[in-house]
Amino acid sequence: QVRLVESGGGLVQPGGSLRLSCEASGSIFSINAMGWYRQAPGNERELVARVTNDGSTNYADSVKGRFTISTISRDGAKNTVYLQMNSLKPEDTAVYYCNAGNSRLTVVFGSWGQGTQVTVSS
């Protein structure tokens, strides 16, 4: 079991920036990739950024060039990954979640938590 804690959301104006943090603990030895997801009201949860243990990254087309996922930082009993979000748009408004799993994140190991709310509005 992998436990996940997300933080860093908030209210930001269009064009602004935020950095989200995710800490994973528990069975982190099994993790091959970590990813950031988001879910807006009425929409399905979508994967927006993924990073593998070797540092390879993938992004949803809607965030390419604006969002950057960090490499996975390992510190003893926890893994940490960040999502730097720049040039934010109102359509980026959503609850953001992180999870961890196999290299393509087709299987995730953590339970979906409460996430962190990102609101982009003037």
Side-chain angles (χ1 to χ4, degrees), residues 9-22:
L11 173 64
V12 63
Q13 292 186 343
S17 298
L18 281 174
R19 189 176 83 149
L20 307 182
S21 300
C22 172

Side-chain angles (χ1 to χ4, degrees), residues 32-91:
N32 288 297
M34 294 185 70
W36 282 97
Y37 301 74
R38 69 185 180 188
Q39 186 169 21
N43 291 355
E44 293 187 355
R45 185 181 291 128
E46 62 170 341
L47 178 64
V48 296
R50 174 176 65 96
V51 60
T52 61
N53 282 344
D54 66 2
S56 297
T57 58
N58 292 92
Y59 298 91
D61 288 344
S62 58
V63 306
K64 279 181 182 176
R66 300 187 299 120
F67 290 12
T68 303
I69 190 168
S70 70
T71 56
I72 299 172
S73 173
R74 295 174 177 79
D75 179 16
K78 67 180 182 182
N79 285 0
T80 303
V81 69
Y82 302 95
L83 184 69
Q84 179 67 42
M85 305 186 296
N86 298 328
S87 302
L88 282 161
K89 305 175 180 180
E91 52 263 43

Side-chain angles (χ1 to χ4, degrees), residues 92-115:
D92 295 318
T93 296
V95 179
Y96 283 71
Y97 304 86
C98 73
N99 216 315
N102 64 0
S103 60
R104 296 179 65 83
L105 292 177
T106 53
V107 176
V108 295
F109 303 150
S111 299
W112 296 103
Q114 294 189 349

